[in-house]
Amino acid sequence: MKAFRYLGAAAVFCSAAAVLFAAEDPLSRQRMVDSARNETALLSYAASSADSLGDWKETIDAVLFLLLRKTELDRGSIRVLVSDALEYPARWYPDGTFAVSTELLDYIDYTIFDRASSSGRRIRNIDDERETLLAPFLAYEAARLACDTCYASWQRNASGESFNSRTREDFDETSAADRYSYVLLSLAGFDPALLTRWIEALADPESFSQFDRLESWRAELPDATTRLLYASREASSLAALADEISGALQALASGTGLSETLSNLAELVPVYPGNLHIAELSAFVAYRNWLSTAPADELKLLPFLPWAKETDPLAERFASVLDIPVSQHQASQGVAALLPGMPVSVPGNNADYIRAVKLFEACLAVRASDALVSAYATLLVWSADPALRRQALELSRTAAIRESEEGSADYTARANHAQILFLTGTDYPEAHTMMANIRTNADSVPLTGRALPGFLSRGMTGDTRDIVLSLALMSHALNSPEQARKLAEERMNFLPAVPDSPDSPNDGRTLSFRGLQLGDTTDVLTALWGKPAFINYTWYTENWQYPGLGASVLIGSASGEQTVDLIRVFGNSVLSPILQASESEETDFPHIRTGDSQSDFEKAFGKSVWRSGDYEVYAAGKGTIAVLYLDGKIRRMSARSAH
């Protein structure tokens, strides 16, 4: 693979970092990354092959995917390395490597079997038990990434001779990572109480007595009893923080409550200074908020955004551009009239645009992943400055190359580069060809499995229907209305019409979970499922939580009364999606649950009809059901109305 770095990015963006981060020497961070790269190169010599890890490879990937991808903490390139030479149980390195010790894996298996033998209980699912024990170790390292404690340690330990000695945390840095571990565990769908159990184990000198390297690591940690006191004392405030971050992720996924979410995040920034996760979410929400103000007919094309979409209505606004007829004057002038170059003024609200640009620049000064760089390029292309538009083209090209080299299922950077080629008039045929190739290959790469050995899957943030929309908008802009119409119809027909065959999964039957259907009122919900354990409120929705069922229900009021808009099912849920013609119908529809295989699900529901936000989406009666698979097994399900 070609060596790839955004060598100039730190210098370009460093002046903006003061918006969210303390001023720093732009070369100091690069020296830290170079030192980390040397360290991980040494670890590679003692790395275990994927074949030798057995099922552990899938377990590690699943936990990391939930902690990094589904929290939107990092959609960039992540190398996963299991090594016998690691001094830590697990370690995140700022060159993009996540390392795990072979001794940690041995410890976890030893603990599982030791507990089972001493209690006489049966091990029901070793994969689940492995994940439960592994999650807090990896969450702590992910929290170090989120809190940027690695760089804080690097700066503080300037006299250290090795990378490990320079990045050894003090109590404050450790405590910050502890606290954010709670947040990440919660966002990833794990029980956040795993954190306190983990710290309790660290406080016990017997926990790692059979494992010399782990015990040496434990003995040098800041006092675990004090850490436990801090974590327990702040549990309620950390739960509130997790709710705030969850609300931000929901705002991004749905495209609602954006200005309010941006205000909430702005209040968190000074409370959690230097937190990369909060900073990047702020940049994402600011970008999406600006898009809400920009007319679709001026933007021409819908950019591909670096976070998982769910029900965002933005695509429909861009699809409406296809209904705007091309005038005779435009047709006679050709492309020059349709795409007269970039506008003199920024489309939409200029203040919102500038805010988004500055927030992105602050984040990129700290971490210039190709996912962030690609999104930033789609902002810069609307600058009135020709030099910045040229920079957007170069940045998008570099990000697209990096994404392509990894063979990722995600196509965000490549699609954005194609759009920038088109919008700037650089190469219309190449832009169209690139987008057509993305469309052809969008379903050919495993969605959450490793595309490149040794690298964590990026997942897929976009919606494959948006690729077709982009091609339709390109055809419309180039005055090919018939081609645009055909593509628009194809986009709307991803969901098959209800056929007559009673054997089809989309035969008009109704999708339900323990009797609950989309569109039911809250009275029906409480009659069927009881009262929720708690409710998370946003500006436009209510998220009713049923942890006992392993589910949540999003309540909306667009119809004038509170009704079920979305049903989510999480890991280890007792709920199954059932298709039946009526509530009174006796059905032998198979009971599919989380943990079951993709093949079992598709025997019941058929093949997926599109992909969106890491999920395979299936036709299900009069609606759709989206499924997240990890290692070929169902991890989450999400049901909503069609289209």
Side-chain angles (χ1 to χ4, degrees), residues 120-448:
R121 71 176 180 86
R122 180 182 176 187
I123 300 174
R124 293 185 177 181
N125 189 321
I126 192 170
D127 292 335
D128 287 350
E129 298 203 30
R130 281 175 165 179
E131 285 190 13
T132 298
L133 289 172
L134 180 64
F137 286 95
L138 300 191
Y140 178 84
E141 292 302 313
R144 289 180 61 246
L145 162 60
C147 298
D148 202 25
T149 58
C150 186
Y151 184 67
S153 304
W154 173 269
Q155 291 290 80
R156 181 175 49 77
N157 299 320
S159 61
E161 296 182 358
S162 67
F163 178 82
N164 286 338
S165 63
R166 285 205 61 173
T167 56
R168 196 173 301 280
E169 301 102 281
D170 63 13
F171 181 83
D172 288 341
E173 292 154 358
T174 300
S175 184
D178 283 343
R179 292 195 296 272
Y180 214 70
S181 297
Y182 182 103
V183 174
L184 292 176
L185 285 167
S186 179
L187 295 175
F190 295 104
D191 182 356
L194 290 176
L195 175 67
T196 53
R197 292 178 216 154
W198 179 65
I199 300 177
E200 286 172 354
L202 298 181
D204 182 358
E206 297 300 317
S207 293
F208 304 103
S209 59
Q210 303 292 320
F211 301 89
D212 294 342
R213 197 175 300 155
L214 292 181
E215 174 54 28
S216 296
W217 161 78
R218 188 202 70 82
E220 295 184 9
L221 293 173
D223 181 61
T225 303
T226 309
R227 290 171 66 184
L228 185 61
L229 177 64
Y230 274 54
S232 301
R233 187 175 63 190
E234 298 184 28
S236 60
S237 62
L238 293 174
L241 175 60
D243 286 345
E244 288 283 0
I245 302 300
S246 178
L249 293 172
Q250 178 59 35
L252 287 170
S254 64
T256 60
L258 295 163
S259 59
E260 298 86 355
T261 301
L262 194 55
S263 297
N264 293 343
L265 290 172
E267 293 178 4
L268 292 178
V269 168
V271 180
Y272 299 94
N275 187 299
L276 297 178
H277 194 207
I278 294 173
E280 289 179 3
L281 289 177
S282 298
F284 293 166
V285 175
Y287 186 175
R288 180 60 185 82
N289 189 54
W290 167 68
L291 284 177
S292 296
T293 72
D297 59 331
E298 292 185 30
L299 292 176
K300 308 293 185 190
L301 298 174
L302 171 64
F304 288 79
L305 304 171
W307 60 82
K309 292 174 59 175
E310 192 171 76
T311 56
D312 194 332
L314 194 61
E316 298 311 315
R317 188 152 61 85
F318 276 81
S320 67
V321 173
L322 299 172
D323 298 327
I324 302 174
V326 178
S327 69
Q328 287 187 345
H329 171 71
Q330 287 176 316
S332 65
Q333 295 297 310
V335 172
L338 287 164
L339 299 170
M342 297 297 105
V344 175
S345 60
V346 173
N349 186 292
N350 188 64
D352 288 342
Y353 173 81
I354 292 173
R355 183 178 193 178
V357 169
K358 287 186 177 298
L359 287 171
F360 261 91
E361 288 175 347
C363 294
L364 286 163
V366 176
R367 184 170 61 140
S369 71
D370 43 288
L372 289 176
V373 169
S374 174
Y376 176 66
T378 63
L379 275 171
L380 278 193
V381 77
W382 292 106
S383 169
D385 185 344
L388 291 179
R389 296 201 297 272
R390 288 193 296 272
Q391 184 187 2
L393 185 62
E394 179 58 27
L395 288 173
S396 70
R397 183 190 70 82
T398 309
I401 291 172
R402 178 67 179 97
E403 181 184 81
S404 178
E405 286 178 339
E406 198 167 304
S408 169
D410 200 19
Y411 46 77
T412 299
R414 284 166 285 176
N416 282 335
H417 181 53
Q419 290 195 347
I420 290 174
L421 282 174
F422 190 88
L423 290 169
T424 57
T426 302
D427 194 331
Y428 298 119
E430 176 63 15
H432 193 278
T433 299
M434 282 184 65
M435 194 65 73
N437 288 339
I438 291 169
R439 174 192 177 192
T440 300
N441 299 320
D443 296 324
S444 63
V445 180
L447 195 53
T448 57

Side-chain angles (χ1 to χ4, degrees), residues 36 39-48 60 79-93 95 97-105 134 137-138 141 144 163-164 167-168 211-217:
E39 180 68 20
T40 57
L42 294 175
L43 293 176
S44 298
Y45 288 112
S48 301
I60 294 168
R79 180 189 180 202
V80 182
L81 184 67
V82 179
S83 176
D84 191 43
L86 188 63
E87 295 180 15
Y88 300 86
R91 201 67 168 169
W92 173 82
Y93 289 90
D95 67 337
T97 298
F98 222 110
V100 179
S101 166
T102 53
E103 192 170 79
L104 173 61
L105 307 186
L134 180 64
F137 286 95
L138 300 191
E141 292 302 313
R144 289 180 61 246
F163 178 82
N164 286 338
T167 56
R168 196 173 301 280
F211 301 89
D212 294 342
R213 197 175 300 155
L214 292 181
E215 174 54 28
S216 296
W217 161 78

Side-chain angles (χ1 to χ4, degrees), residues 433-489:
T433 299
M434 282 184 65
M435 194 65 73
N437 288 339
I438 291 169
R439 174 192 177 192
T440 300
N441 299 320
D443 296 324
S444 63
V445 180
L447 195 53
T448 57
R450 292 187 183 183
L452 185 68
F455 285 80
L456 182 68
S457 168
R458 297 172 185 239
M460 179 186 288
T461 57
D463 187 313
T464 49
R465 295 173 299 172
D466 291 346
I467 304 171
V468 180
L469 174 60
S470 192
L471 285 167
L473 290 167
M474 286 181 177
S475 296
H476 181 268
L478 294 175
N479 195 25
S480 298
E482 183 61 22
Q483 179 67 15
R485 182 189 63 78
K486 289 180 179 179
L487 287 164
E489 289 178 355

